[in-house]
């Protein structure tokens, strides 16, 4: 499976290392030609407005949006979650997302930079072990469509959600050295989705 990491802004290197630890040699996606090589994509943490603007400049916005709506398995962490959401609250004026996930997210919901925090969460991948989750100016999910599965929550706010082909977390598993979420994306989201289209 060829997995890309959108590499225009954000914590690209950390996602590349996390995927490498799962046995994947990721492709850094900066141009449409690189996008067309990949079967699945990771949208990093960073700044969602900057990432979407850079995508427009590099001619990647519409191609990524089309691939996502065409069923390309995609995982977004933090800013990546915002980019996958169909609707954003507290968006910057004119802010656009790729969409695809039937969720409404609130940007910076947990507070500003100084309010960044870490906590252990229960992630519904079948393991009893908690996952260390790092939240940095993180969004939370305020509304989920009927097809959305909530995989983790903090104080009743969903912070990890999935659909058939898309996975999103408010937090940054790429920063902790625990690769369970990346492995879940590869094994439980991307592989089954790609098997289906074969
Ligand atoms: N608050 C950022 C945004 O709106 C996301 C922060 C992050 O990715 N750590 O894009």
């Amino acid at each position: 499976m060829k997995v890309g990491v959108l590499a225009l802004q954000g914590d690209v290197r950390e996602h590349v290392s996390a995927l490498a630890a799962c046995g994947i040699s990721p492709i850094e996606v900066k141009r449409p030609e690189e996008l067309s090589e990949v079967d699945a994509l990771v949208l990093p943490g960073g700044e969602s407005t900057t990432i979407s603007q850079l995508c427009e400049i590099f001619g990647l916005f519409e191609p990524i949006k089309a691939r996502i709506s065409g069923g390309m398995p995609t995982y977004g962490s933090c800013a990546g979650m915002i980019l996958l959401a169909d609707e954003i609250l507290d968006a910057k004026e004119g802010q656009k997302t790729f969409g695809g996930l039937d969720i409404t997210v609130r940007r910076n919901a947990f507070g500003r930079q100084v309010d960044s925090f870490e906590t252990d969460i229960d992630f519904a991948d079948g393991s009893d072990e908690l996952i260390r989750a790092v939240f940095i100016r993180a969004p939370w999910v305020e509304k989920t469509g009927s097809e959305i599965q909530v995989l983790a929550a903090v104080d009743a706010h969903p912070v990890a959600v999935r659909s058939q082909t898309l996975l999103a977390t408010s937090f940054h598993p790429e920063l902790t050295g625990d690769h369970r979420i990346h492995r879940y994306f590869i094994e439980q989201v991307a592989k089954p989705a790609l098997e289906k289209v074969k």
Side-chain angles (χ1 to χ4, degrees), residues 77-89:
S77 72
C78 202
M81 170 188 259
I82 297 169
L83 289 162
L84 286 175
D86 280 346
E87 218 181 306
I88 335 173
L89 302 171

Side-chain angles (χ1 to χ4, degrees), residues 6-197:
L6 180 61
L8 298 178
Q9 193 266 339
D11 61 351
V12 175
R13 231 181 316 153
E14 289 78 0
H15 278 288
V16 168
S17 317
L19 289 166
C22 301
I24 301 276
S25 306
I27 297 171
E28 293 195 14
V29 173
K30 295 192 177 90
R31 295 176 304 153
E33 303 82 75
E34 288 148 357
L35 177 69
S36 51
E37 281 174 39
V38 305
D39 305 306
L41 186 65
V42 172
L43 306 174
E47 223 291 316
S48 55
T49 59
T50 308
I51 294 175
S52 62
Q53 280 165 7
L54 288 171
C55 279
E56 305 240 33
I57 292 167
F58 285 79
L60 273 169
F61 191 88
E62 289 304 328
I64 291 178
K65 191 177 162 127
R67 286 290 307 274
I68 290 172
S69 68
M72 173 178 64
T74 305
Y75 165 46
S77 72
C78 202
M81 170 188 259
I82 297 169
L83 289 162
L84 286 175
D86 280 346
E87 218 181 306
I88 335 173
L89 302 171
D90 293 336
K92 196 166 164 184
E93 214 188 304
Q95 180 171 359
K96 281 170 57 176
T97 69
F98 304 127
L101 257 187
D102 185 9
I103 57 172
T104 301
V105 300
R106 186 175 293 281
R107 283 182 73 215
N108 304 325
F110 288 103
R112 301 185 64 80
Q113 186 76 41
V114 286
D115 300 316
S116 296
F117 65 101
E118 295 186 28
T119 188
D120 293 322
I121 58 163
D122 188 8
F123 181 73
D125 62 352
S127 161
D128 290 338
E129 266 178 58
L130 298 177
I131 289 190
R132 189 76 181 157
V134 178
F135 294 84
I136 304 168
R137 286 175 295 127
W140 69 41
V141 179
E142 282 205 7
K143 241 199 301 175
T144 55
S146 56
E147 304 293 304
I148 299 296
Q149 192 186 345
V150 174
L151 299 170
V154 169
D155 298 337
H157 300 293
V159 294
V161 292
R162 69 165 291 179
S163 65
Q164 229 26 307
T165 56
L166 306 177
L167 172 70
T169 62
S170 306
F171 53 93
H172 294 272
E174 69 277 16
L175 299 180
T176 58
D178 179 341
H179 308 300
R180 243 167 84 192
I181 307 273
H182 288 80
R183 207 162 287 129
Y184 177 87
F185 173 61
I186 301 297
E187 300 296 333
Q188 309 288 329
V189 181
K191 271 192 188 158
L194 293 168
E195 280 300 314
K196 240 188 209 169
V197 293

